[in-house]
Amino acid sequence: MVARFYGYARVSTQDQNLEIQLDALRKAGVHAAFIFQEKASGTSRSGRPELDKALTFLAPGDVLVVTKLDRLGRSMIDLCTIVEEIKRANAHLKVLDQNVDTTTVAGYAFFGMMAVFAEFEHGIRAERQREGIKRAKSNGTYKGRPKTVDENKIKQLAASGMKPAEIARELACHRSSVFRALSRTV
């Protein structure tokens, strides 16, 4: 039985481009028809149907190829869960940019170290972001995320007798946004 190479490419947002990853996967020998791609956050294992599909296609001896480890996941638990699924299929993982190849014992050990460092790097980045927000708040320059719903309009509609669920439908927002806006008026 001939082993196949499957590719997985992911970016976090809709406005990001997958082309660099797709080119690298094709150069690594992955046929374009066997590349699974999606635009979804990597902070969680859930909500990534293309990754799920890629994992179900794996057969013994196959290899899942990604450009970087963080394309699969950002937490140690998610990465280990994914690699465990790959192992259960008797398949392997190859990470191009970090030279990880779980077809060898040394490559599998290197994967473990890289997963720890990937989670560490994510934690450091999040910590810096929190510090930056804290500093900006203390300087008075941080205003938070811009409001997406007009609170005055919510109050007007509520005053006219509309219920929160009706207001949410009318303004195409979540009911919790309506309740939050209405609670600030009390």
Side-chain angles (χ1 to χ4, degrees):
M1 188 162 158
V2 177
R4 284 195 202 155
F5 286 85
Y6 291 95
Y8 176 71
R10 181 192 62 77
V11 290
S12 299
T13 63
Q14 292 298 320
D15 59 334
Q16 290 177 312
N17 192 320
L18 288 160
E19 281 309 311
I20 293 172
Q21 291 179 59
L22 297 175
D23 287 342
L25 292 171
R26 286 189 292 263
K27 286 178 185 169
V30 181
H31 190 279
F34 295 135
I35 297 176
F36 297 84
Q37 52 186 299
E38 61 194 339
K39 295 184 176 188
S41 174
T43 56
S44 172
R45 170 73 169 80
S46 63
R48 297 196 285 160
E50 292 300 308
L51 176 59
D52 293 337
K53 282 184 205 173
L55 293 172
T56 60
F57 270 79
L58 295 175
D62 289 346
V63 179
L64 179 65
V65 183
V66 295
T67 57
K68 294 181 182 176
L69 201 53
D70 68 353
R71 300 301 85 203
L72 281 181
R74 295 214 176 108
S75 78
M76 184 71 176
I77 291 172
D78 285 344
L79 288 170
C80 288
T81 300
I82 292 166
V83 168
E84 191 58 37
E85 288 181 53
I86 294 169
K87 275 178 62 178
R88 275 197 304 270
N90 290 316
H92 305 282
L93 172 67
K94 184 170 185 165
V95 184
L96 301 175
D97 290 359
Q98 284 122 352
N99 207 20
V100 171
D101 184 350
T102 65
T103 59
T104 68
V105 174
Y108 191 77
F110 189 61
F111 158 77
M113 290 186 298
M114 291 303 297
V116 168
F117 285 116
E119 185 171 342
F120 174 71
E121 183 180 324
H122 178 68
I124 292 294
R125 196 176 316 117
E127 188 175 282
R128 285 185 188 139
Q129 183 180 12
R130 283 190 301 273
E131 288 172 358
I133 290 171
K134 184 178 177 183
R135 189 175 326 109
K137 281 182 177 179
S138 69
N139 294 339
T141 56
Y142 183 79
K143 305 298 181 203
R145 186 178 66 143
K147 291 188 183 340
T148 57
V149 180
D150 183 357
E151 287 190 9
N152 290 328
K153 184 71 174 167
I154 291 173
K155 293 172 191 174
Q156 288 172 353
L157 293 172
S160 74
M162 285 181 84
K163 297 193 180 315
E166 296 169 322
I167 296 170
R169 275 192 297 278
E170 174 78 21
L171 299 178
C173 68
H174 200 277
R175 284 185 336 179
S176 62
S177 298
V178 174
F179 286 118
R180 205 172 15 261
L182 293 174
S183 70
R184 286 195 265 271
T185 63
V186 177

